[in-house]
Amino acid sequence: MSNVTSDLAPAYAPFFGCMGAASAIIFSSLGAAYGTAKSGVGISAMAVMKPDLIMKSIIPVVMAGILAIYGLVVAALIIQSLYPAPQYTLFMSFCDFAAGLSVGICGLASGFAIGIVGDAGVRSTAQQPKLFVGMILILIFAEVLGLYGLIVGIILHIRITTKASS
């Protein structure tokens, strides 16, 4: 078998797969970092008034941290499917790039939402404990945005692995 690349599998095709893996972990980690930092500021401000609520208020930080795991999962899947150019087509590379972008940008958006809701929610829960359930529900809806990106990313990746095996 020759090592000649074709129009369907040019030498630069693996670049897009690598960019997908990088996008997945970078953007989802940025979202996780923002959500953790913004929620942490709210927890610190709340802890001055009511230090007994710190452990109850840590939920937004945990939810933000999960976003980086989503990016790590998709990045690991993409990295395991990378091959040199003749075996790794443009279709495969573009699907991996799209998978990385979907989980990464959804994780970034979800992290922004978790950070803003976590900050305001923790502060308001310290003043009015009845708001805790509402804060958790809003956080769940913010977290699910990242989960949607993970699902789309996995489906895109599975699409190329089933296409490659057939």
Side-chain angles (χ1 to χ4, degrees):
M1 181 173 176
S2 68
N3 197 10
V4 178
T5 59
S6 70
D7 290 339
L8 297 177
Y12 59 84
F15 170 78
F16 290 103
C18 292
M19 288 304 295
S23 297
I25 193 64
I26 290 169
F27 290 130
S28 63
S29 293
L30 281 172
Y34 181 84
T36 299
K38 186 85 168 145
S39 297
V41 168
I43 292 169
S44 298
M46 179 275 312
V48 173
M49 297 181 294
K50 298 199 176 182
D52 53 315
L53 294 178
I54 290 177
M55 292 311 290
K56 187 177 180 182
S57 300
I58 206 86
I59 294 171
V61 173
V62 173
M63 293 179 84
I66 292 170
L67 297 174
I69 296 171
Y70 294 165
L72 180 65
V73 167
V74 171
L77 288 173
I78 292 171
I79 290 167
Q80 292 206 349
S81 72
L82 286 174
Y83 295 103
Q87 298 166 313
Y88 195 68
T89 65
L90 275 178
F91 174 77
M92 297 167 83
S93 68
F94 289 158
C95 283
D96 279 343
F97 185 51
L101 282 178
S102 71
V103 72
I105 294 175
C106 286
L108 182 63
S110 180
F112 282 173
I114 288 171
I116 293 167
V117 170
D119 180 25
V122 163
R123 291 175 195 238
S124 62
T125 300
Q127 295 175 357
Q128 177 54 263
K130 291 180 183 178
L131 296 174
F132 181 74
V133 173
M135 177 190 74
I136 296 300
L137 286 174
I138 296 169
L139 284 170
I140 290 169
F141 287 121
E143 175 76 27
V144 81
L145 298 174
L147 186 61
Y148 294 155
L150 174 68
I151 292 167
V152 169
I154 289 173
I155 289 171
L156 279 165
H157 183 73
I158 288 173
R159 171 87 171 121
I160 66 163
T161 55
T162 56
K163 179 101 170 143
S165 64
S166 60

